[in-house]
Amino acid sequence: MPSAGDRYRVTIKEAHLNWGTHRYTNTRPRRGNESYIQIPAAHAYSIGIRAGSTYNCVSVEGTLNTTLLASGQQSDPLYAKQFESMGDLTILGNWLHNVCRASVGDKIDVYWITPTDMELTFIRQ
């Protein structure tokens, strides 16, 4: 489980920014504005980000206030590989596309305020 003060920074890639449309399989319909935040394996293991865990999440500029689900599986299936917006996969996409105007190569700083509360900071490159 994360501790207050844990953090990591991730570089946004095309698949993270356009998850709903930048796909290599046809396992589900393509949808616009779906995005996710990657959890690199080293951080998932060291911080203890378990698949299925939920976190209260706000953005530092105050426009995002949602619950994020740690989902997917690393090679150790107990640990998650991404954060997605719980219940509506477009919440993170709308924040990244419409508020942040994010592009591939920009960064997101993920910071835990408490073990269940996190803050995202968008960093333009």
Side-chain angles (χ1 to χ4, degrees):
M1 173 177 263
S3 298
D6 284 342
R7 74 174 346 126
Y8 73 90
R9 185 171 288 175
V10 65
T11 300
I12 299 170
K13 297 178 183 170
E14 182 70 25
H16 309 152
L17 191 58
N18 296 305
W19 186 17
T21 56
H22 185 77
R23 305 180 64 79
Y24 297 106
T25 66
N26 290 316
T27 55
R28 66 182 186 87
R30 296 179 187 280
R31 299 180 184 114
N33 262 8
E34 291 185 350
S35 300
Y36 69 90
I37 298 171
Q38 178 190 27
I39 306 169
H43 298 296
Y45 300 142
S46 67
I47 294 172
I49 306 168
R50 299 274 182 131
S53 299
T54 58
Y55 300 92
N56 304 311
C57 178
V58 297
S59 59
V60 75
E61 89 291 330
T63 60
L64 182 69
N65 186 345
T66 192
T67 300
L68 294 184
L69 172 66
S71 66
Q73 297 177 336
Q74 300 287 353
S75 56
D76 180 337
L78 293 176
Y79 295 91
K81 69 176 185 177
Q82 73 237 1
F83 286 114
E84 61 184 54
S85 39
M86 183 111 171
D88 181 354
L89 298 175
T90 64
I91 291 172
L92 279 175
N94 287 328
W95 178 68
L96 286 168
H97 287 278
N98 300 324
V99 176
C100 301
R101 305 272 187 226
S103 298
V104 172
D106 291 336
K107 298 183 185 307
I108 297 176
D109 188 68
V110 180
Y111 175 75
W112 274 267
I113 302 163
T114 73
T116 58
D117 298 298
M118 59 195 299
E119 180 180 73
L120 302 180
T121 303
F122 173 76
I123 303 161
R124 183 162 319 283
Q125 291 302 302

